Structures are given as structure tokens and as C-alpha cells.
Amino acid sequence: MSNPALRDEVVQLAQALIRLDTSNPPGNETPAAELLAEHLRAAGAACELIGPDPSRLNLIARVRGTREGPSVMLMAHTDVVPAPTDGWTVPPFGATLRDGRLHGRGAADMKGELAARAVALAEYARSGERPAGDLVLVAEADEEGNTADVGMSWLVREREDLRCDYAINEGGGILLDLADGRRVVTISVGEKQVSSLRVRVHGTAGHASVPAAADNPLHHAADATKRLLETEAPMEITPVVTRALEALGAPAALSESDAIEWAARLHPILADELPPMTRLTVTPTGLKTYEPSNVIPPYVDVICDCRAVPGQDEDDIRGHVAGALGDGYRYEMELLEPLAGGTESPVDTPLYEACREYVAARLPGAELLPLVSPGFTDSHWVRGAFGTVSYGFAPVFTMDLDAYFDGVHGADECLDVADLVEMTEFHLHALRVLSR
Ligand SMILES: [Zn+2]
């Protein structure tokens, strides 16, 4: 980084954020929002703490636009998942610097990224540059829990003024060294839809002392679980997947499924992420009965996690489950909540170009690789409410990826300081390019 003061600033801010325990539950994100507000106010940004729960406030920091031009939102959540001390070799909330890495809960997901976005906006504000459209940082509560309706879900409903043209959030920017020597950098442009499903498998109740007299539904539920685990939904190639295969240079002669297999061999992360991008998954994650242990229950609930590709609906889930289970026993199914998420942003945008340009300058020859995330991020809220073009992108170009991904929601979470600095530079670049 050309300016060593910015490096110190982003490291210190990330450390201060990590030292505030915002484990969710319960969250208690307000001190993190206050810390950021103090930092950004000193730089000249207008700051507002807001939310329905005083202990879980969100920060909106804004540098006002001065003329016609696109508005840009930098997003990051202030909460973290809890940090059981098992497996940690440093205190989870100590923000230890060791071997060029910043350690602690949230270093990677996502207080490092949050600090980088805040410092980029602070630097922009201090520079006296006058943006075209508004530049906004939203530091939101409750992303990890996503059930209390105090964070982004609340903000998009209550604050129409958060409507922005572009948003940058978590979920991409990972440099992948491919098996054939080429390099790509991921950018998350969409998300799968998420729901959960209850398949209630029936039998007949009875006393466990005379097991032969009952039709034990556990027998059927075990079979249903096995069938759901073994049945793959048909492949569904969305435009993003087509574009990803193009970016990877998949040979045109290959069938879709061969192209996915070919691409999966290029990198272990692609082997993990590409197949779920192309199919509905219905994954059993629990079995429930509601009787004491001496009763053969009348039914068993098979609880499943459902992830549908953008464009699919409840009928696709029902059709898949019915096909997997056949008609050997009685069951009914119910979605436990409506399908949520599943939004996608187009890639022919100035923000995509700003990311591509940054990657091309920093890593000559590397391509951007658009992906659909199997998980759920707050990008979904701004895409859904405002039609904002939102991408997951924050450069991780230096850090060992195994250590990076092991730490996210795991022990010894850490981020290479070089990447923290890189993230700051990237966001400053994006703000300057988009606010011209
Ligand atoms: Zn996160």
C-alpha cells in the first residue's frame, strides 16, 4: 500500500472490532457500530446508529453525492458466530498479530473486511474528493442469526434511502490457482434459495415391548433418509454457470455435466462449489420423534435443508422428494418456511468492470469467475428490496486458502494482513471508479 498510515489504520480498526465480542446469539453489536461511527465521523462521513433493538444497532455512514451518478453501498455484518475455545491457540477475542496474520473470531468473517470497507470510505471522505452519487457504508447486525429482524431485513423495509445502485458485500474475491497454471478470482453474483422441509413418515404406534405388532415408522424414516441422501436432482444450468464455464474456458464440445466435471478438476474449491450451483439439494439434517423411548411412535419427521437454484420453486422440491421416496410408505411434506433468497445480479455492470480491472492490474492474466453462493448473505435483501446490483467481493490474494476457510466459523480464524491491506486498496479503487 502506498500509504503505510492506511495499513496501520485498517489493522488497528480490525483489531478493535475483533476485541468487541459480538457473538450471535446474543449479538450485542451496538458497541461495534459505535466504534465505526466514531472512526467515520472523524473522517467527515455522516453517521447514524439505527435499529429496533438498542443493543443491536446498525450503522449507516454516508458521504453525500454532489451530482448525478451511481450510488454505492459497502456492506458488512458486525456480528460473528460464537467461538467455543476448543482448538484455538490464541484468545478468540484477543486480535493477536502472529506471523503476518491477524487472528480472532471475525478476522475472516467478516470484521477484517468490515474494517477495510470502513477505512476505504474514511480515506475517501478525508481526501476531499466529491463523489457523484452517495457512498454509503452499512454495518449491519444479525447476519449470522438472521432471525431477529434487527439487521438488513429491517433496514431495507424501514429505510428506503438505502436504495443504492451498487453494493459490495462478502462472499468472493478468492484467488484460485488452477491445476493447469491459470488463475481466477471468484466473485459471488447470486445465491441459491434456502428453505427447510419436514417429511413426516407414518407408521403405526405401539408399545415397544411388543415390537412386531407395530409398523415402526423409524424403519421407513431410515429408508427415506437413505433415499434422499442417494438421489441427485437433475442438473439445472443457469446463465451464471454458463458464464463461469466460459470464464474457465471449458471446451465447447463437452456436455454440460462433463463440463462441470472438467471444471471441478481444476481446483478443490470448484469441486466443492460448482456441483451445488447446478442442482437442487435436499439434505436430511435431522430425525425427530415425539414419544418416550418405550413407545413406538406413530410417525417420524425427517428434517431436511433445501437449496434450490435461482428460478426453481416449491414444486421442484416436492417433485424431487416424491421421486426419491417412491410409494413404499405413507408420508407428507411441508416447507417449514417459504423459499428465500435465490437472487442474482447481472454481470455486465460498471461494478463488475471495476472488480475485473482491479484483478487485471494486480494479477496480470487472472480472470474473474462469477459464482452463485450455496449459502445466504445480506446481498439477498438489497437485491430483493431495491434491485441493487450486489456482489460478494473482497480480495484474498495472499492467504493460504485452507487456513482461511478452516477459520471461518472454525477455530483460529485469521486473515493475512497483506489481504486486509489489499481489501482496503480494492474498495478505495472501486469507490473512486464508480463515483467519478
Ligand atoms: Zn459473513
Side-chain angles (χ1 to χ4, degrees):
M1 186 179 271
S2 41
N3 180 354
L6 272 193
R7 176 198 181 93
D8 292 346
E9 183 182 344
V10 73
V11 169
Q12 283 163 16
L13 184 59
Q15 284 184 302
L17 285 166
I18 289 170
R19 288 178 184 139
L20 297 172
D21 181 352
T22 54
S23 299
N24 185 5
N28 281 330
E29 295 94 337
T30 297
E34 282 169 345
L35 174 78
L36 290 161
E38 192 185 333
H39 197 92
L40 282 152
R41 253 183 218 127
C47 292
E48 187 185 357
L49 296 172
I50 186 161
D53 180 342
S55 69
R56 311 198 67 184
L57 295 179
N58 306 281
L59 167 72
I60 302 173
R62 192 181 294 265
V63 177
R64 281 252 173 249
T66 53
R67 54 197 182 276
E68 201 53 33
S71 47
V72 183
M73 184 193 289
L74 306 180
M75 298 167 65
H77 58 84
T78 47
D79 61 329
V80 294
V81 293
T85 44
D86 272 14
W88 286 83
T89 61
V90 288
F93 301 100
T96 313
L97 282 168
R98 191 175 69 187
D99 305 328
R101 290 178 181 168
L102 172 60
H103 287 75
R105 175 54 85 223
D109 184 15
M110 60 178 300
K111 286 177 168 170
E113 220 171 303
L114 169 59
R117 290 190 174 124
V119 168
L121 186 67
E123 177 64 5
Y124 188 98
R126 285 188 299 248
S127 72
E129 291 168 73
R130 318 263 289 175
D134 281 11
L135 305 181
V136 184
L137 175 93
V138 177
E140 74 270 15
D142 196 41
E143 191 272 346
E144 298 289 3
N146 196 24
T147 48
D149 194 24
V150 296
M152 214 64 208
S153 56
W154 185 88
L155 285 168
V156 298
R157 206 171 56 240
E158 300 292 327
R159 293 296 298 257
E160 173 63 26
D161 63 321
L162 288 179
R163 178 182 292 274
C164 285
D165 297 301
Y166 302 110
I168 311 175
N169 188 23
E170 63 181 336
I174 310 292
L175 170 63
L176 305 180
D177 285 300
L178 302 184
D180 61 8
R182 291 177 302 142
R183 298 191 293 179
V184 294
V185 176
T186 64
I187 177 166
S188 173
V189 303
E191 286 156 25
K192 288 181 88 175
Q193 307 179 80
V194 187
S195 183
S196 56
L197 175 75
R198 184 184 69 203
V199 182
R200 180 160 288 178
V201 181
H202 294 275
T204 53
H207 198 286
S209 61
V210 283
D215 174 26
N216 191 331
L218 279 144
H219 177 73
H220 305 312
D223 181 66
T225 304
K226 188 161 175 288
R227 284 167 179 255
L228 286 169
L229 287 169
E230 288 171 354
T231 308
E232 202 171 51
M235 192 168 260
E236 196 68 52
I237 301 289
T238 59
V240 173
V241 177
T242 305
R243 195 171 272 261
L245 291 171
E246 274 168 23
L248 290 167
L254 293 180
S255 70
E256 286 175 341
S257 58
D258 287 349
I260 296 290
E261 266 181 45
W262 172 89
R265 285 196 292 274
L266 291 172
H267 198 280
I269 287 181
L270 296 180
D272 286 344
E273 298 226 345
L274 280 176
M277 276 171 65
T278 66
R279 302 179 193 280
L280 164 71
T281 57
V282 177
T283 308
T285 51
L287 292 173
K288 284 187 178 170
T289 63
Y290 308 88
E291 305 292 344
S293 62
N294 62 349
V295 174
I296 292 172
Y299 55 80
V300 177
D301 287 340
V302 184
I303 306 298
C304 302
D305 171 88
C306 302
R307 310 261 160 171
V309 302
Q312 291 182 320
D313 60 21
E314 184 173 341
D315 287 346
D316 291 290
I317 295 174
R318 289 183 172 275
H320 170 74
V321 172
L325 299 194
D327 48 16
Y329 34 83
R330 284 184 299 124
Y331 66 89
E332 73 259 1
M333 59 182 125
E334 187 184 341
L335 279 195
L336 296 177
E337 63 269 351
L339 272 172
T343 51
E344 231 174 71
S345 290
V347 298
D348 52 343
T349 69
L351 176 55
Y352 196 87
E353 184 52 26
C355 298
R356 202 199 56 72
E357 209 177 79
Y358 184 84
V359 166
R362 285 284 297 122
L363 307 165
E367 291 268 356
L368 265 192
L369 178 66
L371 296 177
V372 169
S373 149
F376 184 96
T377 74
D378 277 339
S379 288
H380 149 70
W381 297 112
V382 293
R383 285 197 201 105
F386 303 139
T388 302
V389 168
S390 182
Y391 302 133
F393 193 84
V396 179
F397 293 172
T398 302
M399 178 141 177
D400 171 74
L401 292 186
D402 286 337
Y404 179 81
F405 285 111
D406 286 352
V408 171
H409 295 206
D412 272 1
E413 182 172 358
C414 57
L415 180 66
D416 209 294
V417 169
D419 284 325
L420 188 57
V421 171
E422 185 91 50
M423 287 177 185
T424 313
E425 287 187 332
F426 160 72
H427 286 94
L428 202 46
H429 163 83
L431 290 180
R432 287 192 167 131
V433 168
L434 292 166
S435 68
R436 270 182 204 139

